[in-house]
């Protein structure tokens, strides 16, 4: 049979059936696996392959199914799962960076990623430099002989900045630097960074991959020679994914393509309708022509994803009034949920940054981030518009 298309693989990549011939994958809640003989057990322990099930910190059939699906959707050879998105990010840094090394990162990264770069890596003698997502020409001068890794999110959280992956990958290739992309905002249904030259792609599976705000998870995919040392780091240090979470996440992937289409269609319509609203000074969405990197978004994404941001003219005070007036939309800092969520990054996810650091990554006092859910768009709009009236 011809190679299945991605939306089919998101459903049909499945663990080998057990003797029960089940249709859907069972939940493999077992901490360890057994052997038929002492020789088999000795051979399993002698191997460092993720394909031999020994202990669920090392591998588990349900976790493998989830990883194989993501790797297949991202166009990667191999992958490894972690308990959270931050565990995926931290494990990647710990595996590929040593004392004396240097990392070049976009300054507009998830709040906890910023904390790892600025507070923890320096403790182990690993230095970092930040570049502005809107100035890709500033990247190359930051690369030093000690630079091992370049890290970015596109679209970024929460500013929705977009960078040309092909251009960054060419710089990384020239200087033999690993390009690691956090693809959390797009998901592999919308963007596959490996196609544009990324070496490793990672996710917080907690967001659109789960898609229903139920479990935490992370995953990293790429070439076998890069994933294997990551696998060994995770197997030995323990930030592994739980079999239950993997079961939920693999099930969630069956609806990823349908969900992302609906998230993006609603987000584009919502963003279009909010443009020019009297209380709003600007609206940002990757597939709005007014987005500064609209052409790049069109090149590397199949739709604009599920996140829209806007700036309230009234600043912080207006932002508080807006959140307090919401009736349907949830006030929480998660994203990528079936329920629409509003957040105010300056007082939540990015509260640990200084005011000037927030300014430098485009987080203004009145910035509202909407993770557009799967409810009827008319209900989402009704709530947004009445809350804007009161802001
Ligand atoms: C949420 C998030 C993370 C962290 O993931 P957790 O699963 O919460 O640990 C990393 N990157 C981005 C872009 C995120 O939105």
């Amino acid at each position: 049979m011809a190679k299945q298309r991605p939306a089919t693989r998101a459903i049909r990549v499945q663990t080998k059936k057990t003797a029960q011939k089940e249709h859907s994958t069972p939940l493999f809640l077992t901490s360890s696996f057994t052997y038929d003989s002492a020789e088999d057990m000795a051979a399993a322990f002698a191997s460092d392959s993720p394909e031999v099930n020994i202990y669920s910190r090392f591998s588990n059939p349900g976790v493998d199914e989830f990883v194989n699906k993501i790797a297949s959707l991202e166009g990667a050879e191999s992958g490894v799962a972690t308990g959270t998105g931050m565990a995926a990010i931290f494990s990647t840094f710990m595996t590929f960076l040593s004392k004396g090394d240097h990392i070049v990162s976009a300054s507009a990264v998830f709040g906890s990623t910023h904390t790892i770069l600025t507070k923890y890596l320096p403790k182990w003698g690993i230095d970092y430099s930040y570049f502005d997502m809107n100035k890709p020409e500033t990247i190359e001068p930051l690369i030093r002989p000690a630079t091992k890794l370049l890290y970015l999110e596109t679209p970024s959280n929460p500013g929705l900045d977009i960078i040309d992956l092909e251009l960054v990958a060419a710089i990384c290739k020239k200087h033999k630097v690993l390009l690691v992309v956090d693809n959390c905002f797009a998901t592999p249904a919308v963007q596959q960074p490996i196609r544009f030259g990324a070496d490793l792609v990672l996710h917080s599976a907690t967001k659109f991959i789960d898609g229903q705000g139920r479990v935490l998870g992370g995953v990293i995919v790429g070439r076998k020679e890069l994933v294997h040392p990551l696998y060994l780091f995770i197997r030995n240090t323990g930030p592994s994914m739980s079999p239950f979470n993997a079961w939920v996440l693999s099930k969630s992937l069956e609806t990823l393509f349908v969900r992302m289409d609906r998230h993006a269609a609603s987000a584009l319509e919502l963003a279009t309708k909010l443009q020019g609203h009297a209380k709003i000074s600007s609206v940002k969405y990757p597939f709005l022509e007014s987005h500064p990197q609209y052409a790049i978004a069109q090149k590397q994404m199949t739709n604009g994803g599920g996140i829209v941001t806007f700036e309230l003219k009234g600043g912080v005070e207006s932002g508080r009034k807006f959140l307090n007036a919401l009736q349907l939309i949830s006030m929480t800092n998660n994203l990528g949920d079936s329920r629409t969520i509003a957040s105010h990054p300056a007082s939540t996810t990015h509260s640990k940054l200084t005011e000037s650091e927030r300014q430098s990554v485009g987080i203004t006092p009145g910035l509202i981030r909407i993770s557009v859910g799967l409810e009827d768009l008319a209900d989402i709009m009704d709530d947004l518009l009445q809350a804007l009236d009161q802001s």
Side-chain angles (χ1 to χ4, degrees), residues 169-192:
I171 298 170
C172 289
K173 197 160 246 141
K174 179 172 158 197
H175 295 277
K176 299 195 167 56
V177 169
L178 278 184
L179 174 57
V180 181
V181 176
D182 180 338
N183 199 28
C184 175
F185 266 38
T187 82
V190 173
Q191 173 177 271
Q192 301 96 40

Side-chain angles (χ1 to χ4, degrees), residues 274 277 279 321-329 378-391:
L274 288 185
H277 189 283
K279 296 279 175 77
K321 283 192 197 151
F322 171 80
L323 286 187
N324 282 330
L326 292 169
Q327 292 170 357
L328 170 77
I329 298 173
D379 288 325
I380 302 172
M381 284 308 302
D382 284 351
D383 196 32
L384 269 181
L385 294 174
Q386 68 79 23
L388 282 168
D389 278 348
Q390 296 182 62
S391 73

Side-chain angles (χ1 to χ4, degrees), residues 126-205:
I126 299 162
D127 198 9
Y128 71 95
S129 302
Y130 275 157
F131 66 90
D132 181 338
M133 283 283 284
N134 295 295
K135 294 181 187 141
E137 70 281 5
T138 61
I139 293 175
E140 202 162 3
L142 293 174
I143 296 176
R144 318 169 184 165
T147 309
K148 293 283 154 59
L149 202 152
L150 196 143
Y151 185 86
L152 60 88
E153 302 168 9
T154 181
S156 69
N157 179 27
L160 297 177
D161 294 322
I162 288 168
I163 201 159
D164 188 333
L165 286 167
E166 264 179 321
L167 184 139
V168 181
I171 298 170
C172 289
K173 197 160 246 141
K174 179 172 158 197
H175 295 277
K176 299 195 167 56
V177 169
L178 278 184
L179 174 57
V180 181
V181 176
D182 180 338
N183 199 28
C184 175
F185 266 38
T187 82
V190 173
Q191 173 177 271
Q192 301 96 40
I194 287 171
R195 276 181 48 208
F196 299 101
D199 295 297
L200 289 167
V201 172
L202 56 83
H203 285 279
S204 165

Side-chain angles (χ1 to χ4, degrees), residues 279-281 310-315 318-319 322 366-368 388 391:
K279 296 279 175 77
I280 293 176
S281 56
F310 57 83
E311 182 69 22
L312 288 167
K313 287 181 184 164
S318 194
F322 171 80
L367 183 77
I368 300 287
L388 282 168
S391 73

Side-chain angles (χ1 to χ4, degrees), residues 90 94 98-101 115-128:
F90 187 65
M94 286 294 98
S98 306
K99 189 175 171 189
D101 285 347
T115 305
I116 293 181
L117 289 167
T118 57
K119 304 270 179 344
Y120 294 103
L121 293 190
K123 269 186 21 177
W124 298 301
I126 299 162
D127 198 9
Y128 71 95

Side-chain angles (χ1 to χ4, degrees), residues 282-337:
S282 63
V283 180
K284 203 165 177 188
Y285 182 67
F287 268 36
L288 275 188
E289 276 180 54
S290 56
H291 190 290
Q293 292 104 16
Y294 174 73
I296 301 166
Q298 292 282 321
K299 179 177 86 167
Q300 62 197 28
M301 299 169 76
T302 54
N303 64 47
I307 311 286
V308 176
T309 65
F310 57 83
E311 182 69 22
L312 288 167
K313 287 181 184 164
V316 179
E317 196 42 42
S318 194
R320 268 198 207 107
K321 283 192 197 151
F322 171 80
L323 286 187
N324 282 330
L326 292 169
Q327 292 170 357
L328 170 77
I329 298 173
S330 313
M331 209 192 301
T332 174
N333 66 342
N334 196 22
L335 62 93
D337 197 305

